[in-house]
Amino acid sequence: MKQLVSVFTPRSRRNRGQVSGRFLSMDSNQITTIAAYSPRYGLHWKAKQYIYQGHHVLCSETPSTSTMLGLAKYALVVIATPLAFASNLKGSLMSSGISASFPGDTSYASDSTAFNLRFTFKPAAITFPRTAQEVSQIVKIGASENLEVVARSGGHSYIANGLGGQNGALVIDLRNMGKVTINSTKGTALIETGNRLGDIATALGNAGRALPHGTCAYVGIGGHAAYGGFGFTSRMWGLTLDTIQAVNLVLANGTITRVTNQNNPELFWGLRGSASSFGIATSYEVKTFPAPPSSTVFEYSWTLNITLAAKGISAFQSFVQTNIPPQFGAEINFTKGPKSGTITFTLTGGWYGAPQDLKAVLAPYLQQMPAKPEVNLNVGTYLNSVAALAGGSLNTKSAPDAHDTFYVKSLMTPASSPMSDAAILAFTRYLAIQGFASKTASEWFVQLELYGGTNSAINAVPVGATSFAHRSSLFTFQFYASSPGKVPPYPQYGFKFLDDAVNSIISNSPKNWDYGAYTNYVDDKLADWKLRYYGSHYPRLRALKDKYDPRNVFRFPTAIEE
């Protein structure tokens, strides 16, 4: 009779908590490989116990490299069936009164669908807690079953980290935790992490308050605030994470705690930049701001050739380093031009000062651009501007969230070393020629977002104040390309198109150019993600992981590794 066994060897520190190798079938002394294993997305290992697609697997001794050479001295023997495992998990959750969706349930397919359809993962279960106490119980159950435990706030992780980033995760979907409690006297709000940005903007706006955040109404506050939270008000108010005064958190051992700079400054530091690696945030207590009396959403659009587009970027790079006011937030959007050699070049953003003052602010830049752009100015209340930037509506209950099939990359440029003329020209040439000819031509866009410049509240925060590592960036690029029709499968040429777009800038920049990447535009193919996302902060974050999650309960492909 055959038994399933497996033989493994440990990998680098990045895969500590994981193992790599081959899944084998043993019959007497005969060993045959029957399945390959991916070290990044495959089997998980903790304390000599393994789980593989629902199997409980026990290791009698630590595997060694010799086993990979064919010496089957150490074996991992399956001691429970997937059915028994699923039954145990389901029983534990049901006995705790926790609502959940399991494989085979009618709702499971929709509950487990990623925002980015490039990823199809099968969680062990998707839970729907209503209280922090239920979140705590789920974490305890997941830890006891040696499952990876992940939170899903809005589900907009570009690489489906909210589903675990691989099969077999225990997902904590926070949709039922949607309270927003506003303290008008203190100017603060308690926001549960099941809220989406549209819900929050509406609740705060109705009370005359506001918060810096992104433009997509369906993005969840949980991950958005955990890793940054950029929007057009960020030069005025900072990132979403800069407003956090306390995090209500469930730790890996199930403890419910309130973390502040006063009671636990080190963990509070780590939560504001990488919260998902250390616990499940059930709510944030944030500082809010008086909503501006008026807001102007502006848009200036040109069709430019390669040279004029390059000049437009260079002029903007110089303009934002003059004394521009913090009420000015902007980005340049690039899309396919009408013919090869051209780009559609659109300056868009929000102005939160007096409407009549915008013209004078923009004049020094517009004077350097071709005359007669297409212009659209939308002046109204602050809440109207948030809705306009979201596409017209902030109501996330009126229609289901849309899906896409896409690949994304990001690039954060250092203010101390702005993009060179050569890098800018190479970039515009690439978009104007390859961007027109590519099979993704109608499905891509690039955004050049203004983070820094003079009077930026983002960069006014000291780099060591939070674990968000990029406090001296001038711009953040988002490179985005969808599949034809936005449906699977994603074509290989799409990956190459965006990789080469990024490289057009990097390869024409200094060899030691200190660029970064933005964690909320998470990229599953970024090889040096620790450096680009976290910079010099990563060792300190790893020490926090060792302290607060030594069993690696909260794990996903780009989690801090213990």
Side-chain angles (χ1 to χ4, degrees), residues 89-90 93 98-112 123-128 152 170-171:
L89 177 62
K90 188 171 186 177
L93 291 170
I98 295 166
S99 175
S101 176
F102 297 90
D105 290 351
T106 55
S107 63
Y108 180 82
S110 61
D111 289 337
S112 62
I126 303 162
T127 62
F128 303 95
R152 181 169 67 178
L170 180 58
V171 176

Side-chain angles (χ1 to χ4, degrees), residues 122-315:
K122 296 182 179 179
I126 303 162
T127 62
F128 303 95
R130 296 183 177 276
T131 65
Q133 289 71 28
E134 288 191 351
V135 173
S136 171
Q137 186 62 22
I138 295 165
V139 170
K140 291 176 184 177
I141 291 170
S144 70
E145 297 285 355
N146 236 6
L147 290 169
E148 64 170 311
V149 179
V150 294
R152 181 169 67 178
S153 177
H156 270 241
S157 166
Y158 283 176
I159 62 171
N161 278 342
L163 290 171
Q166 57 191 358
N167 292 332
L170 180 58
V171 176
I172 299 178
D173 187 301
L174 297 160
R175 69 182 64 179
N176 293 322
M177 300 179 68
K179 294 179 182 177
V180 177
T181 306
I182 300 168
N183 187 322
S184 299
T185 303
K186 293 183 178 180
T188 60
L190 186 148
I191 302 173
E192 290 188 328
T193 48
N195 279 286
R196 298 177 186 243
L197 300 185
D199 308 321
I200 296 164
T202 301
L204 293 178
N206 289 337
R209 309 299 294 182
L211 195 70
H213 55 71
T215 59
C216 179
Y218 285 89
V219 166
I221 190 66
H224 190 67
Y227 294 103
F230 169 78
F232 290 132
T233 57
S234 288
R235 293 191 70 257
M236 183 168 62
W237 295 332
L239 301 170
T240 310
L241 65 79
D242 294 326
T243 70
I244 296 175
Q245 298 182 334
V247 181
N248 293 293
L249 190 73
V250 176
L251 295 171
N253 62 5
T255 298
I256 301 172
T257 185
R258 179 176 181 268
V259 183
T260 70
N261 196 46
Q262 289 71 42
N263 66 19
N264 195 333
E266 187 67 5
L267 182 56
F268 189 60
W269 173 86
L271 293 175
R272 292 171 300 149
S274 193
S276 307
S277 290
F278 307 112
I280 306 295
T282 57
S283 64
Y284 296 120
E285 298 173 34
V286 300
K287 173 185 176 181
T288 67
F289 299 85
S294 72
S295 302
T296 303
V297 177
F298 58 86
E299 186 175 281
Y300 297 81
S301 186
W302 299 263
T303 295
L304 301 179
N305 63 30
I306 295 168
T307 303
L308 287 177
K311 287 181 178 179
I313 297 172
S314 295

